[in-house]
Amino acid sequence: MDTEITLVVDGVEHSLVVDTRTTVLDALRERLGITSPKKGCDQGQCGACTLLLGDRRVNSCLMLAVAYDGANLRTADGLADADMHPLQRAFIEHDAFQCGYCTPGQVVSAVGMMQEMREGEPSAVTADAAELSDEVRERMSGNLCRCGAYANMIPAIVEVAQR
Amino acid sequence: MRPFRYQHAPDIGSAVSALAEAPEAAYLAGGTNLVDLMKLEVAVPDLLVDVRELTSDRIEAHPDFVRIGAAVTNSALAADPVIRRRFPMLSQAVLSGASGQLRNLATTGGNLLQRTRCPYFQDLNTPCNKREPGTGCSAREGFQRDHAILGASEACIATHPSDMAVALAALDAVVNTEGPRGPRAIPLVDLHRLPGDEPERDTVLEHGELITSVDVPQLDFATNSRYRKARDRASFAFALVSVAAAVDTADGVVRDVRLALGGVAHKPWRATDAEAALRGAEASVEEFRRAADAELAGARPLPGNEFKIPLARNMIVGVLSELSGVPR
């Protein structure tokens, strides 16, 4: 069942015809050649496909493209302008990745997470969190890293969140 | 994924009619569970009717109740200042489920209608009475750690996965729907079914009946409430056992209480036997333990989930003690 849709990705408008079964993730990667969102589990469990929908982080592998006609999406590519995004720089400075496959999703998720914190949205640990790193660990639990680079990722995100 | 048609409906009536004419159709809201099940071909709708813009995405606070629109996202519900102030356990329950990304997509209506995460239900290669009636229950002879200890049947020992629904069960929430036979209001504790010999039916909803909102009646002592969840990892995992409770104590006596359990049954389990044992009882660890035992007396565990009985008992005692200021 083919349907014509428009997606605005990192400020650029794309029109394309998709089968109703196409996810936003597959539309970006396979149809538009936008490969910074990664396909990890394809089940909403690993977070490698995380995008910003408006300013909210979401799993693009569980979004049917036909249901997001006209959506404004941002990927890790679109976070940087002339300079890298502070979180991208912090990931490099803290050596916060090994193979790098989950990194774009981690960075986008961290951007969304910091926005949620700025808006005063609580997490499951907000009442008990002694340290900002406790909050970051809980709020980033939707992003997995098979290399186990969390030990450097958490300080990278904490450093930017404290600025 | 099987091919399907996708359409928007201009209003709720049209959406209900669209499903009435299509027995294999389904509503699409956040899609976080449905799209996953469609990829697995556990769910094979031939038509998706998108209802995200048909129901309210607002939370309306009235003196006697709070109305949560079916399209309110899990994130918006958990962050809402009225919910956090009046019903802290509801916000805590929502925040203890899924991940930040999923909570931004998942809706209130969809959360209630998510399917069990029983691994055999999701695996087309194994028998499952819920997925394919009459084929048998693989979990009875298999992996039982996540499964039910209360109200299960020979046909099915699956649990309902929602945290939000457990808090709503404790709070006497009412689910408002529009369906082929008009609107109705269903107490949340009656929305989900026990499996009996029809485990394929999770709820009492008819085909095409759409959840439009959830009402949470005002309960003054719910400001003193708590949701606690035990799971196999610290975050982003389903409950082994969870407890939602609100307690009203005065002079060392329990005046009133609301208590529900998650992770133990095919539905959010309102602990009415424990509540009856608690009302008028002394607020003490001994009485809390007695009440927990009253509720768990009917538990029928399997070897793989026997641990849930002491776990549930200890969690009930712990949460009630905390809410009552009783030292343990």
Side-chain angles (χ1 to χ4, degrees):
Chain A
M1 311 288 165
D2 288 344
T3 307
E4 181 169 3
I5 61 165
T6 300
L7 296 173
V8 181
V9 187
D10 298 327
V12 179
E13 190 172 305
H14 304 267
S15 288
L16 66 166
V17 174
V18 292
D19 183 282
T20 50
R21 292 171 286 183
T22 311
T23 61
V24 168
L25 177 63
D26 286 340
L28 265 54
R29 289 185 59 84
E30 306 295 333
R31 301 294 307 284
L32 301 177
I34 298 168
T35 54
S36 75
K38 299 292 187 272
K39 185 179 278 194
C41 68
D42 209 25
Q43 296 182 314
Q45 295 179 7
C46 78
C49 68
T50 302
L51 300 177
L52 295 176
L53 169 64
D55 62 357
R56 309 295 301 193
R57 53 184 172 153
V58 291
N59 301 102
S60 61
C61 72
L62 294 178
M63 298 158 65
L64 294 171
V66 285
Y68 289 90
D69 185 17
N72 187 12
L73 306 168
R74 202 135 54 105
T75 73
D77 274 349
L79 293 176
D81 39 40
D83 295 319
M84 272 187 280
H85 187 280
L87 268 162
Q88 292 170 322
R89 192 175 298 285
F91 266 59
I92 293 169
E93 286 168 358
H94 284 264
D95 195 16
F97 49 85
Q98 198 178 108
C99 82
Y101 193 77
C102 72
T103 308
Q106 299 277 5
V107 171
V108 172
S109 185
V111 170
M113 180 210 81
M114 290 200 301
Q115 176 70 16
E116 289 159 17
M117 288 181 76
R118 270 196 297 275
E119 289 174 8
E121 295 185 24
S123 82
V125 303
T126 299
D128 311 311
E131 311 263 348
L132 182 54
S133 59
D134 297 336
E135 280 281 5
V136 171
R137 255 189 259 305
E138 163 61 25
R139 291 174 188 262
M140 291 296 293
S141 69
N143 291 81
L144 303 185
C145 170
R146 280 298 298 272
C147 306
Y150 303 111
N152 292 347
M153 228 182 274
I154 303 292
I157 297 168
V158 166
E159 187 201 294
V160 178
Q162 276 172 335
R163 283 180 198 163
Chain B
M1 202 186 299
R2 304 275 182 88
F4 61 89
R5 291 175 296 126
Y6 168 89
Q7 69 182 51
H8 281 278
D11 51 51
I12 290 174
S14 311
V16 170
S17 302
L19 255 70
E21 292 161 14
E24 303 304 322
Y27 292 127
L28 174 70
T32 53
N33 187 217
L34 179 60
V35 173
D36 191 23
L37 292 175
M38 287 168 65
K39 289 182 184 184
L40 296 169
E41 298 192 356
V42 170
V44 288
D46 58 6
L47 168 67
L48 287 186
V49 177
D50 193 328
V51 294
R52 286 172 302 163
E53 285 167 12
L54 297 187
T55 59
S56 170
D57 63 355
R58 296 180 58 182
I59 297 170
E60 299 166 27
H62 302 276
D64 296 342
F65 69 103
V66 174
R67 175 161 292 177
I68 304 162
V72 171
T73 63
N74 287 183
S75 330
L77 177 60
D80 185 80
V82 172
I83 298 293
R84 289 166 71 186
R85 189 172 64 245
R86 290 202 208 173
F87 312 112
M89 68 164 142
L90 178 54
S91 173
Q92 292 163 11
V94 174
L95 290 172
S96 77
S99 67
Q101 291 96 314
L102 291 168
R103 290 193 297 270
N104 280 335
L105 288 172
T107 63
T108 303
N111 183 304
L112 294 176
L113 299 182
Q114 63 182 306
R115 313 286 321 262
T116 186
R117 296 320 196 275
C118 176
Y120 305 106
F121 175 70
Q122 299 187 334
D123 179 359
L124 295 182
N125 296 308
T126 57
C128 169
N129 286 323
K130 184 180 278 298
R131 192 185 65 248
E132 203 174 336
T135 55
C137 173
S138 300
R140 280 206 154 270
E141 303 295 327
F143 178 83
Q144 301 155 350
R145 185 170 176 78
D146 296 332
H147 292 75
I149 57 171
L150 289 161
S153 70
E154 282 298 313
C156 182
I157 58 170
T159 51
H160 194 267
S162 170
D163 295 294
M164 183 188 83
V166 180
L168 290 174
L171 287 165
D172 292 309
V174 175
V175 177
N176 299 306
T177 69
E178 286 281 349
R181 288 192 274 181
R184 63 170 171 159
I186 307 166
L188 186 120
V189 292
D190 297 331
L191 175 71
H192 300 94
R193 299 175 63 258
L194 288 177
D197 54 8
E198 284 185 300
E200 69 276 19
R201 292 181 55 214
D202 290 355
T203 71
V204 299
L205 297 185
E206 292 180 68
H207 176 70
E209 194 170 359
L210 177 69
I211 296 176
T212 54
S213 61
V214 177
D215 291 345
V216 186
Q218 177 58 18
L219 180 72
D220 289 345
F221 68 86
T223 51
N224 185 40
S225 68
R226 179 104 166 105
Y227 186 77
R228 185 174 292 165
K229 178 174 178 179
R231 44 186 161 176
D232 278 332
R233 58 184 185 194
S235 182
F236 197 13
F238 291 95
L240 293 167
V241 173
S242 67
V243 175
V247 185
D248 177 20
T249 56
D251 304 324
V253 172
V254 177
R255 289 205 299 201
D256 205 352
V257 62
R258 299 288 183 277
L259 184 66
L261 306 176
V264 296
H266 198 256
K267 60 186 287 184
W269 190 266
R270 179 70 180 266
T272 48
D273 290 344
E275 287 183 6
L278 286 165
R279 287 192 186 95
E282 183 194 354
S284 68
V285 168
E286 292 71 29
E287 292 298 327
F288 296 156
R289 192 173 294 138
R290 204 189 318 277
D293 286 339
E295 192 64 47
L296 296 165
R300 297 289 176 267
L302 292 159
N305 62 15
E306 271 177 327
F307 72 94
K308 286 190 176 184
I309 294 179
L311 179 59
R313 180 193 300 121
N314 291 342
M315 287 176 67
I316 291 169
V317 172
V319 170
L320 294 177
S321 298
E322 182 185 320
L323 291 171
S324 311
V326 170
R328 296 185 73 194

